[in-house]
Amino acid sequence: MNWNKIIKNGIKAVAFLLIFALLFQAATFVLCSKWTIGNQETYVTESFYELEDDSVDVLVLGSSQVLYCVSTVELYDYAGISASCLGGASTSLLSNYYWLLEAEKNQNPSVVMLDVSSLFEQFKEQQERKQIRGMKPSLHWLRFIQAMVSLDVTEESYLSYLFPIIKFHTRWSSLEALDFGDGLDSSVCFRGYHVSNYCQQKVSYDTLILDNDDPEADVRELYDYQLEYFEKIVAYCQENDIELLLFKTPKSSWTLSDCNQVQELADEYGLTYLDFNWEDQIVAVGLDITTDFQDIDHLNTRGADKFAHTLADYLTANYDLPDRREDETFDLHVDREVYDTERNDSYLRSANDPVEWLTLLKEHTACDIFLSTYGDTAGLVSDELAALLADLGLETDLNELPEGNGFVAWLTNDGTSVEEKTDSKYIRIEGTLDNGVSYQVVSRNQSSRKQSKQLIGGEDQSINTAGLNITLYDEATGTVIETVAIDLETGEMTCVLPSD
């Protein structure tokens, strides 16, 4: 027997298998979808695994509501509570259960908060796949896959979860830079919390609160597979001496019937249930429907900060939680520079008061400000607004513009300004920014043809209404941040975000 030959062939076989495994893993990474927008599920799970062991005292489970509504950073800043959120859009309690098991491997939370939306969620394979894809291979992971495949509501094979390249191999023709890892950055997720830069001003207060609902109307079914895993979560928490708190974030599509069914479950299992959709709770939190919601079912960052204070007050009053701010060795594991920037941007985009908006704009990351007038401004600009505009770099006193004059300005991101005024009824400045994008700012003050425009890259961004029309532009990202119009006579402000 030629042992040298056998050993050489063995080494070649091992090397081949190793190379094949590495290439297979790399191909899987590239071809699989990256869920980095919306709820950012890719970042939620990645950032959770980056936390230090035993650094989570409150684990928050649920669907997208927890990722937008429970500000883990504000819970810490306000009360020293170390919390982390796990979940994703429309995820089931099946996912919540297996992520609870996974979290317990490295964390030791004394409180688990469960948002009860999932009890009424229909199974959505795509959303559950995101949760499986985010979990590291383990016994929990294998059982998670098996549990999901065993449900009759999915037609996907076990192997497609075990080897996701089976599902995503056809994506090769639509790959982007992000698929190769370019731009992936889990620091944009803050212990599962996602900063929202949007503001929905069409939330109906009467629809939001439960007080107006008919308990017999729109009764939704509690799904058996959700109840099964609800019971598993309850049992696991009881067996491991974990306090389980049921709660419901503010959500317009949540009904009194939903609330009553959850309350019956809570009573059956001896659990506390907090529902923040009652009017007295909305008032206690201090939510403003014109500034604090990103859509009808989710808070934005301004609202989440208020909500965090109410949650923190309840948690500290009812549970023995350490104040982690007193521990000098504790690491929240949050990129503060990124968080502070995103939080400030969110407050800016949700402001509906000109004074607050201009004040926040001063603190904004560097951006270009394009401004033009619509109609006369003399005597209409308050001292407060004038001072704030001057702080931003505007040199012209708009109160001193003669009647009929048009005015345009570009306040550059490096602190300089280009300003033009005219008595010829029409004025325009134009050029090209450092990133190669063209700009044009127009003001026309003819009585029958008043106009105020800001064009970025040839696209008209302006609201074009009476007063000051302003567009904010970020050269680094090549995106319009926000467009506003300030009515100088009424003090009202109209805002348009890119998504609008």
Side-chain angles (χ1 to χ4, degrees), residues 21 50 72 93 101 146-147 173 177 214 254 280 420:
E50 293 170 359
T72 52
L93 290 180
L101 301 186
Q146 181 59 51
S173 61
D214 178 354
W254 190 250
D280 60 343
E420 296 286 346

Side-chain angles (χ1 to χ4, degrees), residues 93-359:
L93 290 180
L94 183 154
S95 291
N96 293 159
Y97 172 68
Y98 280 101
W99 271 108
L100 172 59
L101 301 186
E102 182 71 4
E104 279 282 292
K105 286 164 50 177
N106 298 103
Q107 303 298 335
N108 188 31
S110 55
V111 178
V112 168
M113 295 179 61
L114 177 64
D115 183 277
V116 292
S117 290
S118 296
L119 280 164
F120 300 92
E121 291 283 359
Q122 287 187 324
F123 185 91
K124 297 176 181 176
E125 190 276 332
Q126 175 75 352
Q127 302 308 122
E128 303 306 310
R129 181 176 288 276
K130 294 177 182 179
Q131 299 301 307
I132 287 178
R133 178 63 183 156
M135 188 177 288
K136 291 183 176 180
S138 66
L139 186 58
H140 293 149
W141 178 65
L142 293 174
R143 288 175 175 170
F144 186 0
I145 296 173
Q146 181 59 51
M148 206 168 78
V149 173
S150 67
L151 293 176
D152 293 334
V153 289
T154 179
E155 297 179 356
E156 298 289 338
S157 68
Y158 186 93
L159 286 177
S160 76
Y161 295 104
L162 198 62
F163 303 109
I165 197 170
I166 295 173
K167 172 82 171 180
F168 297 106
H169 68 278
T170 58
R171 289 189 68 243
W172 64 268
S173 61
S174 59
L175 294 178
E176 300 176 352
L178 190 68
D179 291 302
F180 295 89
D182 185 18
L184 288 175
D185 180 10
S186 61
S187 70
V188 300
C189 183
F190 312 102
R191 284 180 160 246
Y193 172 62
H194 175 37
V195 172
S196 169
N197 284 328
Y198 299 99
C199 180
Q200 171 61 266
Q201 298 184 359
K202 299 177 182 178
V203 178
S204 167
Y205 187 74
D206 289 338
T207 302
L208 174 66
I209 61 175
L210 297 178
D211 304 61
N212 300 328
D213 289 356
D214 178 354
E216 303 302 324
D218 302 321
V219 177
R220 293 195 289 176
E221 178 185 2
L222 283 167
Y223 295 104
D224 290 341
Y225 54 84
Q226 304 287 28
L227 285 170
E228 176 188 351
Y229 283 93
F230 174 79
E231 292 170 355
K232 288 179 180 290
I233 291 172
V234 172
Y236 184 86
C237 289
Q238 290 175 343
E239 292 167 2
N240 291 275
D241 296 322
I242 299 172
E243 297 279 1
L244 178 60
L245 173 63
L246 308 182
F247 77 114
K248 185 69 219 80
T249 62
K251 180 179 181 181
S252 292
S253 59
W254 190 250
T255 69
L256 182 55
S257 170
D258 298 338
C259 174
N260 288 341
Q261 291 185 79
V262 174
Q263 188 62 63
E264 290 176 8
L265 271 179
D267 293 341
E268 179 182 349
Y269 290 96
L271 302 171
T272 299
Y273 171 46
L274 304 178
D275 197 314
F276 292 94
N277 291 273
W278 294 101
E279 185 170 26
D280 60 343
Q281 293 293 336
I282 296 291
V283 172
V285 173
L287 293 178
D288 182 340
I289 61 170
T290 67
T291 61
D292 297 347
F293 286 80
Q294 69 152 317
D295 57 39
I296 63 172
D297 284 342
H298 303 82
L299 299 174
N300 60 20
T301 298
R302 188 185 291 262
D305 283 351
K306 295 177 181 178
F307 189 50
H309 296 172
T310 299
L311 287 180
D313 289 341
Y314 181 86
L315 290 170
T316 54
N318 290 276
Y319 303 103
D320 185 19
L321 296 171
D323 185 341
R324 294 284 194 163
R325 295 172 301 183
E326 298 175 355
D327 183 357
E328 295 181 356
T329 65
F330 178 75
D331 181 9
L332 190 63
H333 203 82
V334 165
D335 189 321
R336 280 287 181 170
E337 184 177 354
V338 174
Y339 172 76
D340 290 342
T341 297
E342 290 199 13
R343 181 175 182 270
N344 183 70
D345 287 359
S346 178
Y347 270 72
L348 176 74
R349 294 185 179 195
S350 59
N352 58 15
D353 174 74
V355 171
E356 182 190 11
W357 187 79
L358 288 170
T359 301

